[in-house]
Amino acid sequence: MGVSVDLNADLGEGFGRWSLGDDDALLAVVTSANVACGFHAGDPTIMRRVCERAVANGVAIGAQVGYPDLAGFGRRFIDIDADELADAVLYQIGALHAFARAAGGEVSYVKPHGALYNTIVHHEVQAQAVVDGVARFAQRMPVLALPTSAFLRLARASGLRPFPEAFADRAYRADGSLVPRSEAGAVIHDPAAVVARAVEMAVTGRVTADDGTVVDVSPVSICVHGDTPGAVELATQVRRALTAAGATVAAFTR
Amino acid sequence: MGVSVDLNADLGEGFGRWSLGDDDALLAVVTSANVACGFHAGDPTIMRRVCERAVANGVAIGAQVGYPDLAGFGRRFIDIDADELADAVLYQIGALHAFARAAGGEVSYVKPHGALYNTIVHHEVQAQAVVDGVARFAQRMPVLALPTSAFLRLARASGLRPFPEAFADRAYRADGSLVPRSEAGAVIHDPAAVVARAVEMAVTGRVTADDGTVVDVSPVSICVHGDTPGAVELATQVRRALTAAGATVAAFTR
Amino acid sequence: MGVSVDLNADLGEGFGRWSLGDDDALLAVVTSANVACGFHAGDPTIMRRVCERAVANGVAIGAQVGYPDLAGFGRRFIDIDADELADAVLYQIGALHAFARAAGGEVSYVKPHGALYNTIVHHEVQAQAVVDGVARFAQRMPVLALPTSAFLRLARASGLRPFPEAFADRAYRADGSLVPRSEAGAVIHDPAAVVARAVEMAVTGRVTADDGTVVDVSPVSICVHGDTPGAVELATQVRRALTAAGATVAAFTR
Amino acid sequence: MGVSVDLNADLGEGFGRWSLGDDDALLAVVTSANVACGFHAGDPTIMRRVCERAVANGVAIGAQVGYPDLAGFGRRFIDIDADELADAVLYQIGALHAFARAAGGEVSYVKPHGALYNTIVHHEVQAQAVVDGVARFAQRMPVLALPTSAFLRLARASGLRPFPEAFADRAYRADGSLVPRSEAGAVIHDPAAVVARAVEMAVTGRVTADDGTVVDVSPVSICVHGDTPGAVELATQVRRALTAAGATVAAFTR
């Protein structure tokens, strides 16, 4: 019997007149959609459309919560108070859930975005604040993040359901953390290598780190991108290769 | 057996560092709180606090939905597309509902704010858009507005539950519409007169218009204000006078 | 001796992570850049880059002022008070001027954007408010708009320097106004026809209206677009055709 | 001959419907107004009014530049890129300058606000970015900040004119830095003590630190506050006491 793996991607990251990535094409490839909720990207109309299309395609809807920073696309660390961060998280989930429900679906998981995602790998106070915001929405809500993050650890301790993801196009350290983007070799650009790593991660649960060590990352989901040229094509290849390797590609929240 | 009437007021209309009105004092007086949802006023932390306090005080929580216009406090007409308006309404209700639910309550009605409130008295397209946004959240949601408004008429036709409100401090025309604020005498400043009109409206369902005609407004709720000096004191007097006149002051959604 | 005509286009209309159109390519074609100032589009970094590139290319910098409405891209009418509109206009010009000056240039004209542009064709109060805002920056500032607009008329009366522009890809009425976009035939899609109209407008000052009448529009500038596929190529063709017809293509503020 | 000292305060820190502090009262007391520029507080209409009133009262206008964060009132550190910060600073100064000039004045100095003010005490990259943004507006612009800050040091090195300020209501360390607000005793609440410290700072240039050491802070300006109850009265007392002690109270940029 084969393994099952999820493919997740960031979606609905336009704003008003501005679009980003090809949401419709990506929704035909992924099994989980991290939908921006209006704080760092996304607006009500975009959220409605992505939710409708996701439900039509059988794609799970996740709340891609971020810092309140449209100008910075949520990519700048903000030293926000824990209470305000928890409230911002709850607000975003609630707003998205209204669209998910109107489309016949629901918010079935939460995945933090950008600088918030990176911050709560190590920032205990903000990590706990995100946990608190999510838990106020639903005490057993699944959350998706790096396996080595403080966030996943605190999520588990608070009763949320933590799920680890992996990046097929990022280099790893021997301790399971990502090589920072500021370092050479942090991002893997060769499509064939990306596809091969996705299959390795999904089938074996392991990935080869930058020092040659084999690390166990056991992802339930692999993150693919949609906002660069060729990204949708690459995601499509990843999906095909996973299927060819005997893996079932399905939402991790099923 | 006496009549029952609701007192509603706008609450949570601060933003970040800025506050407006005395939310806590007003929550001890009113029975329904129109809570701003972050588009024209309000922010996640303010929304949480008002919801928690409202639930503690047994005050019903309503979504005070507005145009996306913090700089204008939702007081400027915006010629927004119907789809975008409906989506903006649904977004705001969803966000507030998350806080209401986390506090142990729920969004039990919707009341449009400011320029949106005034526009949908007559603007059929925007009125229907608000109806559509509300109905996508809950098909039988109560909505509170002027009895003469296109909005209440369309709400009824769409299956929402329309409830008329009245203003004790505003002059009325013989047709039941409000005298525009731009005209002299539009706002009644004498506290004793405001209190007397509130009782008249609640007990008889009628109010004397500016031409002496007696108009039937049959309000289920009377709107009081909290953002001017003496406003909370006046609201308190209105509540006392209603009780003294034999009226039960209770949320209209009960 | 040949005529001289300006080519203007909207530029710098991205925001943060989002871009719109190919600013660099367009800056190699046009002679006047209408630079968004951060209220409906544009941000400080985009403004700096466009100003630097415009100065390097000898392109005149104009302030593309709009309603405060990022979510609506300035395309929704807002019923803003005259004072607030004048202040919003002055704010935007001042901000852009700082970047223009730092780049070695200056704001040499003002062109309203989107719904504001359309509104002040007929809305006298808002038209005068824009005039007032511009005049507080510089009493003799050139402004670019439709020849039939209340704005240009009031600008002239207030001492500003009014300049009429024309649209090579829009159908005209016999009275010199544009056929509204909501009507069939409002936009001319055939590139050859657009190029021919641009030459006709520039060389003769006239254009054939939708009823066959020949209308005098006498533009000092022709507006081209950059935010649709093929737009830069079309603008390039327009410029070549104008030059081939003997026209000098140069900034109207020279 | 007596010393001369400036009194500066934050002004124009409302936004739209929301006001903060009593700008008019404070403008009758201070000699330099740090005017918010719309990024963390302030809007075009508020900026115009404060500039008009400041010029009428002979109060110098300074640009109170902040992080782009209305929701956080500029009080949250944002890890913004140096280029974007420099551009944000230039944008804000340019916008304010348009209002100052229209009122018959000018932006005569720059004082960073809130979290930005605190960050550039030690954050060299952001400090240099603010310096760069200011210098692009005017190479010899005066800047007002803490004497121990990296910002003032880098400002001097870049050709700006650095001016040190002091806080009469804050406790100092022996090294001239402020006791952090998180520590007990950081803020001095006794009005008589605040007045006495202001006089000591102005007349002797020194202040007694929390360990009893006497520190030289040599302020050209003393910062007073206007957004708390009694603040304007306290500022008035400080001014009277300075005058009574023989100090001339005048803008430091004179």
Side-chain angles (χ1 to χ4, degrees), chain B residues 12-241:
Chain B
E13 291 188 304
F15 182 75
R17 174 69 178 84
W18 300 288
S19 55
L20 193 70
D22 185 341
D23 285 346
D24 285 355
L26 214 50
L27 280 167
V29 179
V30 300
T31 42
S32 291
N34 319 316
V35 185
C37 302
F39 272 44
H40 66 277
D43 65 32
T45 296
I46 292 172
M47 290 161 72
R48 174 174 56 78
R49 289 179 182 159
V50 173
C51 285
E52 290 172 350
R53 184 64 60 106
V55 169
N57 288 19
V59 173
I61 295 170
Q64 182 200 140
V65 298
Y67 287 125
D69 183 15
L70 279 176
F73 197 63
R75 290 186 170 169
R76 312 188 284 213
F77 169 72
I78 300 181
D79 190 18
I80 185 172
D81 282 353
D83 276 359
E84 291 176 359
L85 178 54
D87 296 334
V89 165
L90 180 52
Y91 184 103
Q92 293 177 67
I93 302 171
L96 182 63
H97 188 65
F99 291 101
R101 223 178 42 149
E106 61 175 345
V107 171
S108 56
Y109 69 98
V110 174
K111 177 179 169 180
H113 164 82
L116 181 58
Y117 185 97
N118 294 328
T119 296
I120 61 180
V121 168
H122 59 84
H123 194 302
E124 302 269 332
V125 173
Q126 290 205 3
Q128 185 62 50
V130 176
V131 167
D132 291 346
V134 175
R136 280 177 210 151
F137 185 80
Q139 295 184 342
R140 297 278 298 148
M141 176 69 81
V143 291
L144 189 62
L146 272 191
T148 55
S149 62
F151 174 56
L152 276 204
R153 175 172 46 79
L154 294 168
R156 183 185 310 273
S158 297
L160 299 176
R161 295 161 58 205
F163 290 92
E165 68 168 342
F167 298 85
D169 65 350
R170 291 293 298 275
Y172 279 78
R173 298 264 195 243
D175 66 357
S177 66
L178 299 176
V179 174
R181 283 179 181 276
S182 53
E183 299 188 16
V187 177
I188 298 164
H189 296 289
D190 174 25
V194 172
V195 170
R197 282 169 81 86
V199 172
E200 181 191 12
M201 288 168 161
V203 173
T204 70
R206 292 187 290 270
V207 68
T208 305
D210 60 350
D211 67 352
T213 315
V214 174
V215 190
D216 191 336
V217 290
S218 293
V220 301
S221 185
I222 294 175
C223 182
V224 294
H225 303 294
D227 59 348
T228 51
V232 173
E233 170 56 24
L234 179 55
T236 306
Q237 287 179 33
V238 166
R239 179 161 185 155
R240 281 196 201 118

Side-chain angles (χ1 to χ4, degrees), chain A residues 1-103:
Chain A
M1 193 193 98
V3 296
S4 179
V5 71
D6 175 69
L7 285 181
N8 80 83
D10 291 346
L11 281 138
E13 292 188 303
F15 182 74
R17 174 72 178 82
W18 300 288
S19 56
L20 193 70
D22 185 342
D23 285 346
D24 285 356
L26 214 50
L27 280 166
V29 179
V30 299
T31 43
S32 292
N34 320 316
V35 185
C37 301
F39 272 44
H40 66 276
D43 65 33
T45 297
I46 292 172
M47 289 160 73
R48 173 175 56 78
R49 289 180 183 158
V50 172
C51 284
E52 289 172 352
R53 183 64 61 105
V55 169
N57 287 20
V59 173
I61 295 170
Q64 182 200 138
V65 299
Y67 288 126
D69 184 15
L70 279 175
F73 197 63
R75 290 186 171 170
R76 311 188 287 212
F77 169 72
I78 300 181
D79 189 18
I80 186 172
D81 281 354
D83 277 359
E84 292 176 359
L85 178 54
D87 295 334
V89 165
L90 180 53
Y91 185 103
Q92 293 177 69
I93 302 171
L96 182 64
H97 187 64
F99 291 102
R101 225 180 39 151

Side-chain angles (χ1 to χ4, degrees), chain C residues 153-166:
Chain C
R153 174 171 47 78
L154 294 169
R156 182 186 310 274
S158 296
L160 298 177
R161 296 161 58 205
F163 290 91
E165 68 168 341

Side-chain angles (χ1 to χ4, degrees), chain C residues 37-39 44-45 47-48 83-84 87-88 90-91 94-95 98-99 101-102 136-137, chain D residues 37-39 44-45 47-48 83-84 87-88 90-91 94-95 98-99 101-102 136-137:
Chain C
C37 301
F39 271 44
T45 296
M47 290 161 72
R48 173 174 57 78
D83 276 1
E84 291 176 359
D87 296 334
L90 180 52
Y91 185 102
F99 292 101
R101 223 179 41 149
R136 281 177 208 149
F137 185 79
Chain D
C37 301
F39 271 45
T45 296
M47 290 161 72
R48 174 174 56 78
D83 276 359
E84 291 177 359
D87 295 334
L90 180 53
Y91 184 103
F99 291 102
R101 224 180 40 152
R136 279 175 211 152
F137 185 79

Side-chain angles (χ1 to χ4, degrees), chain C:
Chain C
M1 191 194 98
V3 296
S4 179
V5 71
D6 175 69
L7 286 181
N8 80 82
D10 291 345
L11 281 138
E13 292 188 303
F15 182 75
R17 174 71 177 83
W18 300 289
S19 55
L20 193 70
D22 185 341
D23 285 345
D24 285 356
L26 214 50
L27 280 166
V29 178
V30 299
T31 43
S32 292
N34 318 317
V35 185
C37 301
F39 271 44
H40 66 277
D43 65 32
T45 296
I46 292 172
M47 290 161 72
R48 173 174 57 78
R49 288 180 182 158
V50 172
C51 285
E52 289 172 352
R53 184 64 61 106
V55 169
N57 288 20
V59 173
I61 295 169
Q64 183 200 138
V65 298
Y67 287 126
D69 184 15
L70 279 176
F73 197 63
R75 290 185 169 170
R76 312 188 285 212
F77 169 71
I78 300 181
D79 190 18
I80 184 172
D81 282 354
D83 276 1
E84 291 176 359
L85 178 53
D87 296 334
V89 165
L90 180 52
Y91 185 102
Q92 293 176 68
I93 303 172
L96 181 63
H97 188 63
F99 292 101
R101 223 179 41 149
E106 60 176 345
V107 171
S108 57
Y109 69 98
V110 174
K111 177 179 170 181
H113 165 81
L116 181 58
Y117 185 96
N118 294 328
T119 296
I120 61 179
V121 168
H122 59 86
H123 193 302
E124 301 268 332
V125 173
Q126 290 206 3
Q128 185 63 49
V130 177
V131 167
D132 291 345
V134 175
R136 281 177 208 149
F137 185 79
Q139 296 184 342
R140 297 279 297 147
M141 177 67 82
V143 290
L144 190 62
L146 270 192
T148 56
S149 62
F151 174 57
L152 275 204
R153 174 171 47 78
L154 294 169
R156 182 186 310 274
S158 296
L160 298 177
R161 296 161 58 205
F163 290 91
E165 68 168 341
F167 298 84
D169 64 350
R170 292 293 298 274
Y172 279 77
R173 297 264 194 244
D175 67 357
S177 66
L178 299 176
V179 174
R181 282 180 182 274
S182 53
E183 298 187 16
V187 177
I188 298 164
H189 296 288
D190 173 26
V194 172
V195 170
R197 281 169 82 87
V199 172
E200 180 191 12
M201 287 168 162
V203 173
T204 70
R206 292 188 291 270
V207 68
T208 304
D210 60 351
D211 66 353
T213 315
V214 174
V215 190
D216 190 336
V217 289
S218 294
V220 302
S221 184
I222 293 174
C223 183
V224 295
H225 303 293
D227 58 348
T228 49
V232 173
E233 171 56 24
L234 179 55
T236 306
Q237 288 179 34
V238 166
R239 178 163 185 154
R240 280 197 201 118
L242 289 170
T243 304
T248 302
V249 180
F252 73 94
T253 47
R254 288 292 149 74

